[in-house]
Amino acid sequence: MGIVSAVWIFDCLVALWVSFPSAKSWRKSFAFRLRQGGAKLNFDLHRSGGVWLWGILLMLAVTSVSLNLGREVMKPVISVFSTVAPTPFEARKPSRIDAPVEPELSREQAIALAVDHVRALGWNAPPGEIFYAHRFGIYGVSFFFPERDESDDGMGNPWIYLDGVTGRVVSSKVPGTGSAGDVFMQAQLPLHSGRILGMPGRILISITGLAVATLSVTGVILWARKRRAKKRSDAARAAACRAA
């Protein structure tokens, strides 16, 4: 998926260049010939539809690379321009699947330690979610008020990560804080899912998904028509050569 997304980024750039062949006729690349229908409308749906959605499509392609190849591709690229702090899971080598790290702290103890830590930081929200990553030996505790849970909206909730054996705080994640690179990486899933804008954003991404399917279908139709036209042209040329 990451490789396909990288190709998608390249395709977006090529598509933009192909969609504006002439500076004088740039308006045509935004128009839809609805009344003419048929082949012309199919062409406009593919070209103009892609132009109108170009920014969102490029964003989805970039965030797809981040979500699938974040550590391998996106973080090294972003690190050229800004520092990016490693996640607690990147800083540790995972154990074998058949040899999980058993915690010495109970969930109640982990929550209590996390609460003590965040109160010292001035956080007032109560703990609302906890998980344990067995291959890394890490507890994750999230803090939020029930009526202000942003797990499905915005940039998400803040997290504290603790060592499951020692109880030591190994990392924290507060959405919207850190270096420019950190904020960029934090925003990838919210951008890709549309949740950064709440319900309107998720609706927009859903509609964009349907639009991508439309672009795919119209693209196949364009290819098939060009292929048929080429075959007819080759056949006519061959017949002319035989007649000569």
Side-chain angles (χ1 to χ4, degrees):
M1 290 299 295
I3 294 173
V4 170
S5 301
V7 174
W8 191 5
I9 293 175
F10 177 74
D11 178 69
C12 283
L13 300 177
V14 172
L16 187 65
W17 175 66
V18 172
S19 296
F20 293 94
S22 172
K24 295 181 179 179
S25 58
W26 64 270
R27 292 180 182 273
K28 294 181 180 179
S29 298
F30 290 93
F32 295 93
R33 289 169 288 184
L34 299 176
R35 295 182 179 179
Q36 298 188 30
K40 292 182 179 179
L41 178 58
N42 182 85
F43 178 80
D44 289 344
L45 285 173
H46 188 77
R47 181 188 65 179
S48 302
V51 170
W52 279 103
L53 295 172
W54 187 84
I56 298 178
L57 296 178
L58 180 62
M59 180 271 291
L60 290 174
V62 171
T63 54
S64 294
V65 174
S66 297
L67 295 175
N68 290 283
L69 294 174
R71 182 179 59 186
E72 297 82 0
V73 175
M74 191 57 67
K75 278 196 172 183
V77 172
I78 299 303
S79 296
V80 175
F81 306 97
S82 173
T83 57
V84 181
T87 69
F89 308 103
E90 293 173 339
R92 293 192 175 193
K93 183 179 179 180
S95 66
R96 299 197 316 271
I97 296 178
D98 59 347
V101 180
E102 295 298 333
E104 294 188 12
L105 298 175
S106 66
R107 291 178 179 266
E108 292 78 10
Q109 290 174 319
I111 291 174
L113 289 172
V115 169
D116 290 341
H117 180 76
V118 302
R119 294 297 177 262
L121 298 177
W123 296 10
N124 297 318
E129 184 178 352
I130 184 173
F131 72 87
Y132 181 70
H134 287 84
R135 295 190 65 194
F136 296 89
I138 292 176
Y139 274 112
V141 183
S142 178
F143 290 80
F144 56 89
F145 291 101
E147 66 275 12
R148 295 170 58 186
D149 181 7
E150 295 187 3
S151 57
D152 291 327
D153 292 317
M155 293 276 286
N157 298 310
W159 287 84
I160 294 294
Y161 301 97
L162 305 96
D163 188 294
V165 176
T166 67
R168 180 177 60 89
V169 174
V170 296
S171 181
S172 64
K173 184 184 76 172
V174 181
T177 64
S179 67
D182 291 331
V183 175
F184 177 84
M185 294 304 299
Q186 293 169 11
Q188 297 308 288
L189 178 57
L191 283 171
H192 189 79
S193 62
R195 75 181 194 191
I196 197 168
L197 298 177
M199 182 60 72
R202 284 184 283 177
I203 293 174
L204 175 62
I205 295 300
S206 298
I207 293 174
T208 302
L210 297 175
V212 170
T214 301
L215 293 175
S216 301
V217 171
T218 54
V220 171
I221 293 174
L222 285 173
W223 170 81
R225 284 175 174 167
K226 289 183 178 181
R227 188 168 182 267
R228 287 197 299 268
K230 184 177 184 303
K231 283 187 174 182
R232 287 195 296 267
S233 177
D234 292 343
R237 189 180 299 108
C241 290
R242 288 193 298 269

